[in-house]
Amino acid sequence: MAFLLLPFAAAAIGGIIAAEEERKRKRRREEENERRRREEEENARRRREEEDARRRREEEENARRRREEEDARRREEENARRRREEEDARRREEEDARKKKEEEDARRREEEDAKEKFESHKKRMEQLKGQPRLPTFSVPKRYDIWLKPDLSTCKFEGSVAIELNIIADTSFIVLNAAELSIDTTSISFTHPATVNSSNSNQVLKPLYVDVVEEDELLVLDFPDTLPLGIGLLTIAFKGILNNKMKGFYTSTYEHNGEKKNMAVTQFEPADARRCFPCWDEPACKAMFKITLDVPSQLVALSNMPIIEEKVDGDLKTVSYQESPIMSTYLVAIVVGLFDYVEHLTSDGIKVRVYCQVGKVNQGNFALDVAVRTLELYKEYFAVPYFLPKLDMVAIPNFAFGAMENYGLVTCCETNLIYDNQNSAAANKQRVVIVVAHELAHQWFGNLVTMEWWTHLWLNEGFATWVSYLAANHLFPEWEVWTQFLNECTEGLRLDGLAESHPIEVEINHTREIDEIFFDTKSDKKGASVIQMLQSYLGVECFQRSLASYIKKFACSNAKSEDLWVSLEEGCSEPVNQLMNSWTKQKGYPIVSVKVKDQKLVFEQSQFLASGSLGDGQWIVPITLCRGSYDVHKNFLLQTKSETLDMKELPSDGNNLASSWVKLNVNQTGFYRVKYDEDLAAKLRYAIENKYLSATDKFGILDDSFALCMARQQPLNSLLTLMGAYSGELEYTVLSNLINISYKVERIAADANPELLEYIKQFFITLFLRSAIKIGWEPKKGESHLDAMLRGEVWTALAVFGYDPALKEGSRRFHAFLDDRNTPLLHPDIRKAAYVAVMRRVSSSNRFGFENLLRVYRETDLSQEKTRVLSSLASSPNPSIILEALNFLLSSEVCTQDVVLGLAVSREGRETAWTWLKDNWEHISKTWGSGYLITRFVSSIVSPFASFEKAKEMEEFFANCTESKIARTLKQSIEQVHINANWVQSVQNE
């Protein structure tokens, strides 16, 4: 079975094997196929890989190429970038180099420009120094001023905005400033943008700010030329409320026993610059808007009415109405404690007088005078007062008599207040003259202003002249035109000196103003030549032409020639030619007159008090009368000499009463007259028989005295003439007689001491009849002039040692000490009593001196204080005089009052001179900045009469640097020489 199965098995096995072989072949085929497939796949793979590799290689190659190309591109770009960077760097370097060069060039240019600007600035500054006037390329139109005075620290701060019109190309603004601390950072000039410009206002800052102290200039130098037209200059500043009575200063007063300060301004002639930067020249007129920050309890005044007052605690802000156009020297501010009285004029002008608290009633008289004077001037000038109000303020410390500030007149207290119980008649008249003078300036000076200080004489001379016109209108019984001769006499005295000057003198620098401004000749001679001119032209013609002048030049400036033109047009006379001979040359003529062959022969020559010959020549308005004021003749003496047939002046030549000839009738001409012996004798007869007016009696006496001083007439002739005035009761005549007697007494004492008692007795006899007639007591209904005469004549008798006068004066003084209201010592005779007391004072008898000081200390009336001060140095005792002089320098005496006590007795001259030398440093420091120092010099130097003393004085003052005293010193020393020559002449008689 098994074998049976074997073939089957083998077959099966074979089949199996075959099948297996088949499977193997099949497997091998499959494997081969698989191999081939794999190979194919491998080959395909390899091909693919090779293809891939190729592709990759190609791609890589391409990529490489691309990278290389990219790298190359990048390298190119990099190279290009580098080249660009290098180029940029090169360009930057070049740009930097260019910029550096430009910057260097710009720096050089800036340095050169700066150097050029600085050199230009320096050059300009040098050009500005010492110039007579400010540059005219900028014109102020309006000031807006804010000030805040501190009365406890005596300082102030402020700001000013000045509307300017730039009228010429300039990069400079030049104005005045002095003693101010300028905030340079605050300074700017704002100019409005142009119409086509989109910019706002153009604000310019100065490149340089310089203060030229010696010329009192503030110089603003801007980088570029300033735009033409209107702009606004703003400046902030600080200053000191000084004690020099000029600029913005303090004045002290007492209230409830406590000393307090007030703030006051005094800007004339050129001190507004000490309060705020400004164009401080008369021609630079502008409008002023003022605002003050002041203690709320005080009164604050300015030129215009208050429009707003805001109180904020202890301070108030006071704003004032804008002023009309005016000069800086007329701006005014007063801050203090005051009461006031007020009244209205007929056209509604509010007039006030401000006085210290408790003294308000003492302002009533001045108020009445002011209101009436404004009414008069409105008619006389044919132009109404220009402002809505007029204030007048009494200031305790005030360097001048008064100041005409527009709408705010400031006055020394003694010149504004009047006390019915304690003021003398002379004080009353002084108030009238001062008020009328300052109010005249409201038209002649304020409304029409001098163009420059050269024409100051006209400003002051006219106000002086018209003040007498006003006083005569208000008080005709005072006969003030006769007293006007005192102004004329003082002018003649000053102008008779070789060291005089023309009244119209060129001012080449502001610092020269003081020398002329403080010389009283400007208003004395000025007023006199105006009086002469009015007399020549006629009252109505003069007034009509003057009104025309005021209207024509209202709110502007004028020169002397402008007035002459108006007068020539109105009066058809050669006014300019006539007046030039009086204003543009110094001196005046003496007209000698003699009778020869029935003709009057007139010769003019310059009069000099020294007796020397002058070479001046004038056009002289001659007026003369013969035997009567109805027989008169007027003509112009235009040559050195002229004759007049006496047949033109008919009279009975054999009758002394009608044969006298008087030249310069009523003394209207500014000249002196010398008569031959026969004519002089006939005039003396006319005086004794009272044929002549008071003014002519005055003139004959004054001319004779001047001729005697000039050694053209012996002293005996003068004394003989003076004897003709025995019993004289005309106030002005007797007053001049007394003044002359004081001078003659000193000369006689120096010439021959043995003559002194004779001279004194002569004068006592001369004045005694008048004194007895006038008496010590005021009489009911007596005239104002008698009241003034009483004090002067009894004072003269006391000075000359008349024993009954000394005793009576002392008796009345004792009664006054016991009762200050006693009727025994009326204010009109207090000065006489005080002098009488002081003439009896000695080192062992000090009662009068000490009690006069007591009166001074106890009174609060300034006029009483001045009476005492003017009497203290009348003692004959040198040690008492020294005490009196030292008292003047004490804190008890107001600064401006010191000069009132310098008129020392003849016996005290040497003491006073030694005192002046010992105290000169202090005096110079305290008073050297103002005119008062000139009074120290003139009062103490002039009375001497010795060539040796003159030399000593010249040596002492040789190193003096005060320019203000230069002219006064020369004039005073000249007077010493004149006196010394006069003494020698008297010794030789």
Side-chain angles (χ1 to χ4, degrees), residues 72 140 195 230 288 419 422 585 623 661 687 708 737 752 775 828 960:
V195 175
I230 299 294
F288 293 83
D419 184 330
N422 294 293
Q585 66 175 330
T623 57
V661 173
I687 291 168
C708 185
L737 194 66
N752 186 350
D828 291 324
C960 176

Side-chain angles (χ1 to χ4, degrees), residues 422-487:
N422 294 293
S423 294
N427 298 133
K428 188 174 189 177
Q429 182 170 304
R430 178 66 179 163
V431 170
V432 174
I433 294 294
V434 169
V435 169
H437 181 109
E438 303 312 321
L439 267 55
H441 276 309
Q442 304 301 306
W443 282 264
F444 213 99
N446 299 6
L447 184 59
V448 179
T449 309
M450 60 197 163
E451 192 276 336
W452 181 237
W453 298 106
T454 295
H455 310 284
L456 171 67
W457 78 270
L458 187 58
N459 208 27
E460 291 302 324
F462 184 85
T464 297
W465 176 80
V466 86
S467 67
Y468 280 84
L469 182 145
N472 185 65
H473 177 83
L474 299 180
F475 302 97
E477 69 278 11
W478 291 3
E479 300 176 14
V480 293
W481 278 125
T482 304
Q483 297 176 63
F484 179 78
L485 295 177
N486 293 321
E487 306 284 350

Side-chain angles (χ1 to χ4, degrees), residues 695-913:
T695 51
D696 282 330
K697 287 190 289 184
F698 180 107
I700 293 166
L701 174 64
D702 204 63
D703 288 348
S704 181
F705 169 70
L707 287 165
C708 185
M709 181 189 291
R711 295 166 291 130
Q712 296 183 33
Q713 177 180 300
L715 177 61
N716 189 53
S717 293
L718 174 62
L719 294 176
T720 301
L721 177 64
M722 293 176 77
Y725 290 83
S726 178
E728 180 65 56
L729 288 173
E730 290 278 1
Y731 167 73
T732 310
V733 180
L734 185 54
S735 177
N736 194 34
L737 194 66
I738 290 168
N739 289 332
I740 289 172
S741 70
Y742 291 151
K743 296 168 185 175
V744 170
E745 184 236 16
R746 290 185 179 227
I747 292 299
D750 286 333
N752 186 350
E754 295 177 4
L755 280 176
L756 183 58
E757 288 307 314
Y758 165 77
I759 289 289
K760 283 184 175 181
Q761 192 55 51
F762 172 80
F763 288 138
I764 289 170
T765 303
L766 183 61
F767 300 136
L768 192 54
R769 279 176 56 196
S770 305
I772 291 172
K773 190 166 185 178
I774 203 86
W776 283 91
E777 300 285 350
K779 297 177 176 61
K780 187 176 180 180
E782 72 178 1
S783 72
H784 167 81
L785 294 175
D786 283 349
M788 291 204 299
L789 179 59
R790 178 174 294 106
E792 290 202 30
V793 72
W794 285 113
T795 299
L797 289 170
V799 168
F800 292 127
Y802 181 55
D803 195 57
L806 298 178
K807 288 179 179 176
E808 183 63 15
S810 297
R811 182 183 76 84
R812 291 173 182 270
F813 179 67
H814 279 77
F816 180 66
L817 292 178
D818 294 336
D819 177 11
R820 297 299 161 83
N821 296 315
T822 179
L824 286 176
L825 200 61
H826 190 275
D828 291 324
I829 59 167
R830 283 182 197 169
K831 171 73 181 289
Y834 296 166
V835 170
V837 166
M838 288 305 302
R839 292 301 292 175
R840 304 179 85 182
V841 166
S842 64
S843 299
S844 59
N845 177 20
R846 298 171 52 85
F847 175 84
F849 178 62
E850 290 173 353
N851 278 282
L852 260 185
L853 290 179
R854 190 180 117 205
V855 170
Y856 180 89
R857 289 165 176 145
E858 290 176 357
T859 185
D860 66 347
L861 184 69
S862 54
Q863 292 163 351
E864 191 69 72
K865 287 182 181 291
T866 60
R867 272 195 290 265
V868 173
L869 289 177
S870 63
S871 306
L872 289 176
S874 56
S875 168
N877 186 283
S879 62
I880 295 296
I881 286 176
L882 182 59
E883 278 193 65
L885 292 170
N886 286 334
F887 176 71
L888 295 177
L889 300 183
S890 72
S891 59
E892 293 186 68
V893 180
C894 288
T895 310
Q896 82 277 2
D897 289 344
V898 172
V899 295
L900 301 173
L902 297 176
V904 300
S905 65
R906 175 181 52 80
E907 300 89 342
R909 286 181 302 182
E910 196 62 50
T911 300
W913 169 237

Side-chain angles (χ1 to χ4, degrees), residues 269-312:
D271 292 310
R273 63 192 69 184
R274 285 175 168 76
C275 183
F276 57 93
C278 58
W279 276 254
D280 204 8
E281 294 182 357
C284 297
K285 284 189 161 186
M287 294 178 288
F288 293 83
K289 176 78 172 66
I290 294 174
T291 303
L292 302 176
D293 281 356
V294 297
S296 53
Q297 76 277 14
L298 299 183
V299 174
L301 304 172
S302 189
N303 305 83
M304 299 299 289
I306 295 171
I307 55 172
E308 185 178 45
E309 190 171 298
K310 293 181 180 178
V311 179
D312 183 10

